[in-house]
mmCIF file of all heavy atoms in Angstrom:
data_model
loop_
_atom_site.group_PDB
_atom_site.id
_atom_site.type_symbol
_atom_site.label_atom_id
_atom_site.label_comp_id
_atom_site.label_asym_id
_atom_site.label_seq_id
_atom_site.Cartn_x
_atom_site.Cartn_y
_atom_site.Cartn_z
ATOM 1 N N ASP A 1030 108.947 107.674 116.681
ATOM 2 C CA ASP A 1030 108.642 106.310 117.231
ATOM 3 C C ASP A 1030 107.540 105.634 116.402
ATOM 4 O O ASP A 1030 107.427 104.442 116.517
ATOM 5 C CB ASP A 1030 108.246 106.466 118.654
ATOM 6 C CG ASP A 1030 109.415 106.825 119.579
ATOM 7 O OD1 ASP A 1030 110.592 106.602 119.195
ATOM 8 O OD2 ASP A 1030 109.164 107.357 120.665
ATOM 9 N N ASP A 1031 106.754 106.384 115.678
ATOM 10 C CA ASP A 1031 105.593 105.860 114.965
ATOM 11 C C ASP A 1031 105.922 105.691 113.442
ATOM 12 O O ASP A 1031 106.220 106.655 112.814
ATOM 13 C CB ASP A 1031 104.313 106.694 115.155
ATOM 14 C CG ASP A 1031 103.157 106.242 114.379
ATOM 15 O OD1 ASP A 1031 102.503 105.325 114.908
ATOM 16 O OD2 ASP A 1031 102.860 106.790 113.302
ATOM 17 N N GLY A 1032 105.772 104.504 112.992
ATOM 18 C CA GLY A 1032 106.142 104.259 111.584
ATOM 19 C C GLY A 1032 105.371 105.076 110.586
ATOM 20 O O GLY A 1032 105.855 105.591 109.611
ATOM 21 N N GLY A 1033 103.985 105.193 110.885
ATOM 22 C CA GLY A 1033 103.176 105.976 109.990
ATOM 23 C C GLY A 1033 103.466 107.477 109.997
ATOM 24 O O GLY A 1033 103.467 108.134 108.986
ATOM 25 N N GLY A 1034 103.807 107.948 111.210
ATOM 26 C CA GLY A 1034 104.164 109.335 111.334
ATOM 27 C C GLY A 1034 105.360 109.687 110.565
ATOM 28 O O GLY A 1034 105.490 110.754 109.876
ATOM 29 N N LEU A 1035 106.407 108.854 110.666
ATOM 30 C CA LEU A 1035 107.677 109.105 109.948
ATOM 31 C C LEU A 1035 107.537 108.907 108.531
ATOM 32 O O LEU A 1035 108.231 109.620 107.647
ATOM 33 C CB LEU A 1035 108.806 108.305 110.535
ATOM 34 C CG LEU A 1035 110.175 108.678 110.057
ATOM 35 C CD1 LEU A 1035 110.550 110.072 110.543
ATOM 36 C CD2 LEU A 1035 111.256 107.748 110.527
ATOM 37 N N ASN A 1036 106.626 107.991 108.060
ATOM 38 C CA ASN A 1036 106.416 107.836 106.652
ATOM 39 C C ASN A 1036 105.921 109.107 106.056
ATOM 40 O O ASN A 1036 106.361 109.499 104.916
ATOM 41 C CB ASN A 1036 105.331 106.733 106.477
ATOM 42 C CG ASN A 1036 105.134 106.434 104.971
ATOM 43 O OD1 ASN A 1036 104.240 107.018 104.364
ATOM 44 N ND2 ASN A 1036 105.837 105.506 104.442
ATOM 45 N N GLY A 1037 105.013 109.838 106.749
ATOM 46 C CA GLY A 1037 104.510 111.081 106.211
ATOM 47 C C GLY A 1037 105.652 112.116 106.109
ATOM 48 O O GLY A 1037 105.755 112.890 105.146
ATOM 49 N N ILE A 1038 106.546 112.211 107.111
ATOM 50 C CA ILE A 1038 107.617 113.106 107.093
ATOM 51 C C ILE A 1038 108.533 112.815 105.938
ATOM 52 O O ILE A 1038 109.029 113.686 105.226
ATOM 53 C CB ILE A 1038 108.447 113.025 108.464
ATOM 54 C CG1 ILE A 1038 107.586 113.520 109.685
ATOM 55 C CG2 ILE A 1038 109.778 113.716 108.319
ATOM 56 C CD1 ILE A 1038 107.308 114.999 109.566
ATOM 57 N N ALA A 1039 108.844 111.455 105.704
ATOM 58 C CA ALA A 1039 109.698 111.117 104.591
ATOM 59 C C ALA A 1039 109.181 111.593 103.268
ATOM 60 O O ALA A 1039 109.968 112.059 102.405
ATOM 61 C CB ALA A 1039 109.842 109.587 104.587
ATOM 62 N N HIS A 1040 107.868 111.512 103.065
ATOM 63 C CA HIS A 1040 107.256 111.951 101.814
ATOM 64 C C HIS A 1040 107.392 113.469 101.659
ATOM 65 O O HIS A 1040 107.612 113.995 100.540
ATOM 66 C CB HIS A 1040 105.772 111.565 101.713
ATOM 67 C CG HIS A 1040 105.620 110.115 101.293
ATOM 68 N ND1 HIS A 1040 105.527 109.722 99.964
ATOM 69 C CD2 HIS A 1040 105.586 108.939 102.003
ATOM 70 C CE1 HIS A 1040 105.418 108.402 99.872
ATOM 71 N NE2 HIS A 1040 105.399 107.894 101.109
ATOM 72 N N VAL A 1041 107.200 114.169 102.768
ATOM 73 C CA VAL A 1041 107.358 115.638 102.783
ATOM 74 C C VAL A 1041 108.787 116.041 102.377
ATOM 75 O O VAL A 1041 109.018 116.926 101.550
ATOM 76 C CB VAL A 1041 106.969 116.219 104.093
ATOM 77 C CG1 VAL A 1041 107.361 117.773 104.146
ATOM 78 C CG2 VAL A 1041 105.476 116.099 104.396
ATOM 79 N N VAL A 1042 109.777 115.354 103.032
ATOM 80 C CA VAL A 1042 111.121 115.638 102.791
ATOM 81 C C VAL A 1042 111.561 115.293 101.310
ATOM 82 O O VAL A 1042 112.179 116.095 100.614
ATOM 83 C CB VAL A 1042 112.089 114.915 103.719
ATOM 84 C CG1 VAL A 1042 113.552 115.060 103.311
ATOM 85 C CG2 VAL A 1042 111.859 115.399 105.137
ATOM 86 N N ALA A 1043 111.092 114.154 100.880
ATOM 87 C CA ALA A 1043 111.390 113.735 99.484
ATOM 88 C C ALA A 1043 110.766 114.681 98.441
ATOM 89 O O ALA A 1043 111.418 115.019 97.495
ATOM 90 C CB ALA A 1043 110.842 112.319 99.253
ATOM 91 N N HIS A 1044 109.592 115.105 98.709
ATOM 92 C CA HIS A 1044 108.982 116.106 97.755
ATOM 93 C C HIS A 1044 109.723 117.424 97.741
ATOM 94 O O HIS A 1044 109.914 117.931 96.668
ATOM 95 C CB HIS A 1044 107.482 116.360 98.245
ATOM 96 C CG HIS A 1044 106.794 117.341 97.406
ATOM 97 N ND1 HIS A 1044 106.358 117.142 96.126
ATOM 98 C CD2 HIS A 1044 106.469 118.721 97.657
ATOM 99 C CE1 HIS A 1044 105.731 118.190 95.556
ATOM 100 N NE2 HIS A 1044 105.777 119.162 96.495
ATOM 101 N N ARG A 1045 110.223 117.833 98.915
ATOM 102 C CA ARG A 1045 110.998 119.083 98.895
ATOM 103 C C ARG A 1045 112.274 118.946 98.186
ATOM 104 O O ARG A 1045 112.766 119.896 97.506
ATOM 105 C CB ARG A 1045 111.259 119.460 100.370
ATOM 106 C CG ARG A 1045 112.001 120.728 100.554
ATOM 107 C CD ARG A 1045 111.210 121.993 100.353
ATOM 108 N NE ARG A 1045 111.969 123.195 100.389
ATOM 109 C CZ ARG A 1045 111.524 124.417 100.374
ATOM 110 N NH1 ARG A 1045 110.211 124.592 100.386
ATOM 111 N NH2 ARG A 1045 112.278 125.499 100.481
ATOM 112 N N LEU A 1046 112.817 117.700 98.131
ATOM 113 C CA LEU A 1046 114.113 117.495 97.436
ATOM 114 C C LEU A 1046 113.821 117.144 95.994
ATOM 115 O O LEU A 1046 114.864 116.844 95.306
ATOM 116 C CB LEU A 1046 114.829 116.357 98.200
ATOM 117 C CG LEU A 1046 115.277 116.558 99.645
ATOM 118 C CD1 LEU A 1046 115.964 115.319 100.207
ATOM 119 C CD2 LEU A 1046 116.194 117.775 99.734
ATOM 120 N N GLY A 1047 112.595 117.081 95.538
ATOM 121 C CA GLY A 1047 112.341 116.708 94.131
ATOM 122 C C GLY A 1047 112.435 115.213 93.934
ATOM 123 O O GLY A 1047 112.688 114.851 92.761
ATOM 124 N N LYS A 1048 112.272 114.387 94.953
ATOM 125 C CA LYS A 1048 112.401 112.958 94.818
ATOM 126 C C LYS A 1048 111.063 112.321 95.031
ATOM 127 O O LYS A 1048 110.297 112.709 95.910
ATOM 128 C CB LYS A 1048 113.413 112.464 95.841
ATOM 129 C CG LYS A 1048 113.514 110.926 95.851
ATOM 130 C CD LYS A 1048 114.499 110.505 97.062
ATOM 131 C CE LYS A 1048 114.492 109.005 97.197
ATOM 132 N NZ LYS A 1048 115.113 108.303 96.046
ATOM 133 N N GLN A 1049 110.761 111.271 94.268
ATOM 134 C CA GLN A 1049 109.562 110.537 94.442
ATOM 135 C C GLN A 1049 109.885 109.184 95.018
ATOM 136 O O GLN A 1049 110.721 108.455 94.474
ATOM 137 C CB GLN A 1049 108.766 110.325 93.144
ATOM 138 C CG GLN A 1049 107.491 109.600 93.269
ATOM 139 C CD GLN A 1049 106.692 109.476 91.968
ATOM 140 O OE1 GLN A 1049 107.056 110.031 90.981
ATOM 141 N NE2 GLN A 1049 105.541 108.769 92.038
ATOM 142 N N LEU A 1050 109.336 108.858 96.123
ATOM 143 C CA LEU A 1050 109.558 107.576 96.855
ATOM 144 C C LEU A 1050 108.976 106.520 96.079
ATOM 145 O O LEU A 1050 107.740 106.474 95.742
ATOM 146 C CB LEU A 1050 109.076 107.603 98.250
ATOM 147 C CG LEU A 1050 109.662 108.664 99.181
ATOM 148 C CD1 LEU A 1050 109.072 108.560 100.586
ATOM 149 C CD2 LEU A 1050 111.185 108.631 99.254
ATOM 150 N N ARG A 1051 109.756 105.450 95.740
ATOM 151 C CA ARG A 1051 109.280 104.317 94.870
ATOM 152 C C ARG A 1051 109.535 102.987 95.481
ATOM 153 O O ARG A 1051 109.752 102.029 94.792
ATOM 154 C CB ARG A 1051 109.980 104.429 93.512
ATOM 155 C CG ARG A 1051 109.789 105.747 92.746
ATOM 156 C CD ARG A 1051 110.505 105.707 91.439
ATOM 157 N NE ARG A 1051 110.334 106.948 90.670
ATOM 158 C CZ ARG A 1051 109.286 107.280 89.880
ATOM 159 N NH1 ARG A 1051 108.336 106.300 89.770
ATOM 160 N NH2 ARG A 1051 109.209 108.371 89.255
ATOM 161 N N TYR A 1052 109.394 102.897 96.796
ATOM 162 C CA TYR A 1052 109.555 101.601 97.473
ATOM 163 C C TYR A 1052 108.345 100.703 97.151
ATOM 164 O O TYR A 1052 107.273 101.183 96.789
ATOM 165 C CB TYR A 1052 109.694 101.838 98.980
ATOM 166 C CG TYR A 1052 108.582 102.591 99.596
ATOM 167 C CD1 TYR A 1052 107.350 102.012 99.884
ATOM 168 C CD2 TYR A 1052 108.796 103.911 99.932
ATOM 169 C CE1 TYR A 1052 106.356 102.712 100.561
ATOM 170 C CE2 TYR A 1052 107.802 104.676 100.518
ATOM 171 C CZ TYR A 1052 106.628 104.039 100.826
ATOM 172 O OH TYR A 1052 105.577 104.800 101.427
ATOM 173 N N LYS A 1053 108.595 99.455 97.248
ATOM 174 C CA LYS A 1053 107.555 98.436 96.889
ATOM 175 C C LYS A 1053 107.189 97.665 98.165
ATOM 176 O O LYS A 1053 108.034 97.164 98.911
ATOM 177 C CB LYS A 1053 108.100 97.498 95.871
ATOM 178 C CG LYS A 1053 108.377 98.104 94.435
ATOM 179 C CD LYS A 1053 108.868 97.135 93.442
ATOM 180 C CE LYS A 1053 109.141 97.821 92.107
ATOM 181 N NZ LYS A 1053 109.594 96.815 91.080
ATOM 182 N N ASP A 1054 105.921 97.642 98.398
ATOM 183 C CA ASP A 1054 105.349 96.878 99.488
ATOM 184 C C ASP A 1054 104.887 95.506 99.045
ATOM 185 O O ASP A 1054 104.489 95.355 97.855
ATOM 186 C CB ASP A 1054 104.222 97.658 100.146
ATOM 187 C CG ASP A 1054 104.695 98.629 101.236
ATOM 188 O OD1 ASP A 1054 105.759 98.341 101.819
ATOM 189 O OD2 ASP A 1054 104.088 99.730 101.368
ATOM 190 N N PRO A 1055 104.851 94.532 99.877
ATOM 191 C CA PRO A 1055 105.095 94.530 101.355
ATOM 192 C C PRO A 1055 106.511 94.459 101.737
ATOM 193 O O PRO A 1055 106.798 94.433 102.895
ATOM 194 C CB PRO A 1055 104.227 93.385 101.852
ATOM 195 C CG PRO A 1055 104.364 92.335 100.773
ATOM 196 C CD PRO A 1055 104.332 93.108 99.486
ATOM 197 N N GLU A 1056 107.417 94.222 100.733
ATOM 198 C CA GLU A 1056 108.806 94.017 101.070
ATOM 199 C C GLU A 1056 109.432 95.184 101.844
ATOM 200 O O GLU A 1056 110.137 94.963 102.886
ATOM 201 C CB GLU A 1056 109.681 93.780 99.768
ATOM 202 C CG GLU A 1056 109.361 92.514 99.035
ATOM 203 C CD GLU A 1056 108.162 92.679 98.106
ATOM 204 O OE1 GLU A 1056 107.570 93.806 98.096
ATOM 205 O OE2 GLU A 1056 107.810 91.738 97.403
ATOM 206 N N PHE A 1057 109.175 96.429 101.440
ATOM 207 C CA PHE A 1057 109.759 97.557 102.130
ATOM 208 C C PHE A 1057 109.241 97.655 103.491
ATOM 209 O O PHE A 1057 110.033 97.970 104.420
ATOM 210 C CB PHE A 1057 109.420 98.845 101.349
ATOM 211 C CG PHE A 1057 109.871 100.081 102.114
ATOM 212 C CD1 PHE A 1057 111.244 100.362 102.161
ATOM 213 C CD2 PHE A 1057 108.988 100.878 102.808
ATOM 214 C CE1 PHE A 1057 111.657 101.498 102.937
ATOM 215 C CE2 PHE A 1057 109.400 101.983 103.510
ATOM 216 C CZ PHE A 1057 110.732 102.305 103.577
ATOM 217 N N THR A 1058 107.898 97.453 103.693
ATOM 218 C CA THR A 1058 107.392 97.638 105.065
ATOM 219 C C THR A 1058 108.027 96.645 105.996
ATOM 220 O O THR A 1058 108.368 96.950 107.156
ATOM 221 C CB THR A 1058 105.879 97.339 105.095
ATOM 222 O OG1 THR A 1058 105.280 98.435 104.310
ATOM 223 C CG2 THR A 1058 105.259 97.443 106.486
ATOM 224 N N ARG A 1059 108.302 95.432 105.498
ATOM 225 C CA ARG A 1059 108.955 94.400 106.353
ATOM 226 C C ARG A 1059 110.352 94.800 106.747
ATOM 227 O O ARG A 1059 110.676 94.747 107.986
ATOM 228 C CB ARG A 1059 108.952 93.041 105.602
ATOM 229 C CG ARG A 1059 109.738 91.935 106.418
ATOM 230 C CD ARG A 1059 109.748 90.699 105.572
ATOM 231 N NE ARG A 1059 110.391 90.832 104.306
ATOM 232 C CZ ARG A 1059 111.724 90.872 104.121
ATOM 233 N NH1 ARG A 1059 112.536 90.835 105.179
ATOM 234 N NH2 ARG A 1059 112.196 91.048 102.922
ATOM 235 N N VAL A 1060 111.177 95.245 105.836
ATOM 236 C CA VAL A 1060 112.543 95.621 106.238
ATOM 237 C C VAL A 1060 112.602 96.966 107.045
ATOM 238 O O VAL A 1060 113.427 97.142 107.910
ATOM 239 C CB VAL A 1060 113.482 95.671 104.966
ATOM 240 C CG1 VAL A 1060 113.650 94.316 104.286
ATOM 241 C CG2 VAL A 1060 112.899 96.719 103.942
ATOM 242 N N ASN A 1061 111.559 97.803 106.704
ATOM 243 C CA ASN A 1061 111.516 99.052 107.476
ATOM 244 C C ASN A 1061 111.134 98.777 108.941
ATOM 245 O O ASN A 1061 111.778 99.371 109.886
ATOM 246 C CB ASN A 1061 110.479 100.006 106.803
ATOM 247 C CG ASN A 1061 110.273 101.344 107.574
ATOM 248 O OD1 ASN A 1061 109.357 101.424 108.406
ATOM 249 N ND2 ASN A 1061 111.209 102.232 107.419
ATOM 250 N N LEU A 1062 110.235 97.877 109.187
ATOM 251 C CA LEU A 1062 109.893 97.450 110.502
ATOM 252 C C LEU A 1062 111.068 96.803 111.196
ATOM 253 O O LEU A 1062 111.340 97.059 112.404
ATOM 254 C CB LEU A 1062 108.682 96.525 110.516
ATOM 255 C CG LEU A 1062 107.340 97.153 110.213
ATOM 256 C CD1 LEU A 1062 106.252 96.106 110.049
ATOM 257 C CD2 LEU A 1062 106.919 98.151 111.253
ATOM 258 N N ASP A 1063 111.806 96.000 110.471
ATOM 259 C CA ASP A 1063 112.972 95.348 111.099
ATOM 260 C C ASP A 1063 114.018 96.418 111.511
ATOM 261 O O ASP A 1063 114.633 96.290 112.630
ATOM 262 C CB ASP A 1063 113.673 94.376 110.117
ATOM 263 C CG ASP A 1063 112.839 93.135 109.915
ATOM 264 O OD1 ASP A 1063 111.946 92.881 110.738
ATOM 265 O OD2 ASP A 1063 113.023 92.442 108.874
ATOM 266 N N LEU A 1064 114.215 97.444 110.678
ATOM 267 C CA LEU A 1064 115.235 98.449 110.978
ATOM 268 C C LEU A 1064 114.728 99.288 112.180
ATOM 269 O O LEU A 1064 115.460 99.640 113.080
ATOM 270 C CB LEU A 1064 115.429 99.372 109.698
ATOM 271 C CG LEU A 1064 116.388 100.605 109.985
ATOM 272 C CD1 LEU A 1064 117.757 100.097 110.296
ATOM 273 C CD2 LEU A 1064 116.349 101.427 108.651
ATOM 274 N N ARG A 1065 113.483 99.631 112.192
ATOM 275 C CA ARG A 1065 112.924 100.412 113.291
ATOM 276 C C ARG A 1065 113.059 99.620 114.592
ATOM 277 O O ARG A 1065 113.418 100.226 115.623
ATOM 278 C CB ARG A 1065 111.463 100.744 113.044
ATOM 279 C CG ARG A 1065 111.190 101.665 111.849
ATOM 280 C CD ARG A 1065 109.670 101.994 111.729
ATOM 281 N NE ARG A 1065 109.248 102.589 112.950
ATOM 282 C CZ ARG A 1065 109.384 103.892 113.189
ATOM 283 N NH1 ARG A 1065 109.971 104.683 112.440
ATOM 284 N NH2 ARG A 1065 108.886 104.382 114.343
ATOM 285 N N SER A 1066 112.794 98.300 114.506
ATOM 286 C CA SER A 1066 112.865 97.489 115.711
ATOM 287 C C SER A 1066 114.354 97.496 116.198
ATOM 288 O O SER A 1066 114.554 97.513 117.445
ATOM 289 C CB SER A 1066 112.434 96.125 115.427
ATOM 290 O OG SER A 1066 112.515 95.252 116.527
ATOM 291 N N GLU A 1067 115.253 97.385 115.300
ATOM 292 C CA GLU A 1067 116.676 97.277 115.658
ATOM 293 C C GLU A 1067 117.166 98.650 116.266
ATOM 294 O O GLU A 1067 117.935 98.691 117.235
ATOM 295 C CB GLU A 1067 117.485 96.893 114.536
ATOM 296 C CG GLU A 1067 118.931 96.626 114.910
ATOM 297 C CD GLU A 1067 119.634 95.697 113.893
ATOM 298 O OE1 GLU A 1067 119.187 95.599 112.769
ATOM 299 O OE2 GLU A 1067 120.710 95.197 114.249
ATOM 300 N N LEU A 1068 116.710 99.719 115.708
ATOM 301 C CA LEU A 1068 117.235 101.049 116.142
ATOM 302 C C LEU A 1068 116.474 101.636 117.411
ATOM 303 O O LEU A 1068 117.045 102.221 118.244
ATOM 304 C CB LEU A 1068 117.082 102.065 115.062
ATOM 305 C CG LEU A 1068 117.966 101.829 113.788
ATOM 306 C CD1 LEU A 1068 117.744 102.865 112.752
ATOM 307 C CD2 LEU A 1068 119.436 101.820 114.159
ATOM 308 N N LEU A 1069 115.189 101.333 117.457
ATOM 309 C CA LEU A 1069 114.357 101.903 118.485
ATOM 310 C C LEU A 1069 113.954 100.879 119.576
ATOM 311 O O LEU A 1069 113.635 101.269 120.676
ATOM 312 C CB LEU A 1069 113.046 102.498 117.927
ATOM 313 C CG LEU A 1069 113.244 103.701 116.961
ATOM 314 C CD1 LEU A 1069 112.000 104.042 116.246
ATOM 315 C CD2 LEU A 1069 113.803 104.861 117.832
ATOM 316 N N GLY A 1070 113.992 99.652 119.239
ATOM 317 C CA GLY A 1070 113.597 98.592 120.127
ATOM 318 C C GLY A 1070 114.377 98.478 121.378
ATOM 319 O O GLY A 1070 113.927 98.025 122.451
#
């Protein structure tokens, strides 16, 4: 439910998979918030 909490999980998962997250802010944060709002709101 918390954007910051899941962001940390995403980095842990990506690191385990050998992937580096390369999203660009503030564009990514905006669309991420929109998606979270649509799925959880």
Side-chain angles (χ1 to χ4, degrees):
D1030 290 340
D1031 179 79
L1035 191 63
N1036 182 272
I1038 293 292
H1040 279 272
V1041 170
V1042 173
H1044 177 74
R1045 181 76 186 190
L1046 297 178
K1048 174 184 174 64
Q1049 184 175 355
L1050 300 183
R1051 299 181 182 277
Y1052 54 80
K1053 296 182 180 180
D1054 275 329
E1056 293 84 359
F1057 173 74
T1058 295
R1059 177 181 57 80
V1060 293
N1061 178 259
L1062 287 173
D1063 288 343
L1064 177 63
R1065 295 182 59 81
S1066 177
E1067 187 158 17
L1068 296 177
L1069 296 168

